[in-house]
Amino acid sequence: MVEHHMVDVNGIRLHIAEEGDGPLVVLLHGFPESWHSWHRQFGPLSDAGFRVVAPDQRGYGRSDRPDAVDAYTILHLVGDVVGLVQALGEKKAYVVGHDWGAPVAWHTALLRPDMVLGVAGLSVPPPFRGTRPPLTEMDKRFGGRFYWNYFNRPGVADAEFAKDTRAALRKLVYSASGDAPDADERKQPLVDPERGWVATMPDPDVLPEWFTEDDLDQLTESFSKGFTGALNWYRNIDRNWELTAPWHGAVVTSPALYVYGDRDAVPAFPGTPELIAKLPELMPNLWREPLKLAGCGHWTQQERPNEVNTALIDFLRANP
């Protein structure tokens, strides 16, 4: 059974879900998600002999939501993972992340390799710091319409998503899934400057089988206090670029696994397909070539739980 606790970590309180005994596996969700996005991983991973913990990361769900925008930098987020591992009485852990959780997982392995037994990222590949601030670069490339830049405008996306939280989340999840009508085109996520983002997204009459009404209910409840804390992660993208300058050119050396869907728009972001193709030569301990899941959109572990669980268990067992 999954148990729930509050844990004091890095100056804040985090809500965590936990199941199983054995080596610790920390599962880190992305946007707009919560610990619940991993609910199909708890049973299989705990049955395979692992202690599985998924937090609501800072700004999400039942965890604390600091007011300051600059309280959501990558250093704070890695600090939360390090503090969580220590608060759970462990010295080392496997770290797995999806979407925004993947950069947190990758950077935890990059900054604290002594604590990371292995690292897996879903959707977002390992970080290779570019020569220009990302928000600035995307602003120039797409005329301010890229969703990162839209999210960077204080209060704007916050208000759009909060107007009808359940409908916004339903459309966000469906539009980025492999079930969306244009998923195979993997279009860049650009925002209509007049209508906003959610208004342009398809709204399904029936949810996909892997995302039930109960899943949507739980996700909606997790955003009952708004979206600002979660969106503040995006408002630190250029600040993260500045803060990680000391690690420019560094690579993740922990055993690593990367999994993505062939209908996910994120691996099609500018420059990302070329990076994914080079990962086997760029990363010394990439456990296998990047695993591409056919027909899978952005919500990797939810859309393809069986394939993801098998890949994770094989990876964890191969890197004790």
Side-chain angles (χ1 to χ4, degrees), residues 42-313:
F42 274 84
L45 292 181
S46 62
D47 288 346
F50 296 95
R51 181 187 184 187
V52 186
V53 171
D56 284 333
Q57 298 201 73
R58 67 166 60 202
Y60 285 85
R62 287 182 255 170
S63 294
D64 283 351
R65 304 157 183 262
D67 292 330
V69 174
D70 61 3
Y72 295 85
T73 73
I74 195 66
L75 298 186
H76 289 86
L77 304 174
V78 170
D80 291 346
V81 177
V82 171
L84 177 59
V85 171
Q86 295 172 340
L88 294 172
E90 303 289 350
K91 295 181 179 179
K92 296 178 182 288
Y94 299 95
V95 186
V96 180
H98 167 257
D99 184 76
W100 251 115
V104 179
W106 295 124
H107 278 91
T108 301
L110 184 67
L111 307 186
R112 291 301 305 269
D114 59 305
M115 294 186 67
V116 176
L117 294 167
V119 57
L122 312 182
S123 178
V124 180
F128 287 87
R129 185 178 178 273
T131 58
R132 298 175 183 272
L135 281 173
T136 304
E137 190 68 16
M138 289 300 196
D139 187 49
K140 292 179 180 178
R141 182 184 291 265
F142 296 108
R145 295 183 60 203
F146 197 69
Y147 79 110
W148 293 356
N149 301 105
Y150 177 65
F151 287 178
N152 201 43
R153 299 167 193 160
V156 177
D158 319 45
E160 183 186 8
F161 297 156
K163 186 176 181 180
D164 185 339
T165 298
R166 197 172 195 277
L169 291 169
R170 181 177 63 243
K171 295 173 75 172
L172 280 163
V173 170
Y174 179 69
S175 66
S177 75
D179 295 272
D182 59 352
D184 56 344
E185 299 177 26
R186 299 208 296 176
K187 297 178 180 179
Q188 297 298 326
L190 304 182
V191 179
D192 186 313
E194 301 297 328
R195 301 174 63 198
W197 203 24
V198 172
T200 64
M201 295 178 179
D203 194 355
D205 294 327
V206 179
L207 292 174
E209 290 184 3
W210 53 267
F211 188 69
T212 67
E213 293 289 342
D214 180 65
D215 293 331
L216 180 56
D217 288 342
Q218 295 211 36
L219 186 59
T220 303
E221 172 60 27
S222 73
F223 283 96
S224 61
K225 296 180 181 178
F227 289 81
T228 299
L231 290 169
N232 281 341
W233 289 44
Y234 291 89
R235 294 161 184 159
N236 282 281
I237 288 177
D238 278 2
R239 185 176 286 113
N240 292 341
W241 181 82
E242 296 172 359
L243 292 172
T244 55
W247 293 274
H248 187 84
V251 299
V252 172
T253 57
S254 302
L257 173 69
Y258 174 56
V259 182
Y260 69 105
D262 67 354
R263 292 189 174 185
D264 185 353
V266 173
F269 284 180
T272 306
E274 294 81 4
L275 171 61
I276 293 172
K278 292 181 179 179
L279 282 180
E281 61 186 81
L282 291 174
M283 294 185 62
N285 289 312
L286 192 67
W287 181 61
R288 53 161 295 168
E289 289 191 358
L291 175 59
K292 180 164 64 174
L293 302 177
C296 182
H298 181 60
W299 316 106
T300 328
Q301 75 273 21
Q302 298 183 73
E303 294 186 51
R304 295 291 186 273
N306 293 337
E307 293 95 326
V308 168
N309 293 340
T310 297
L312 286 177
I313 291 169

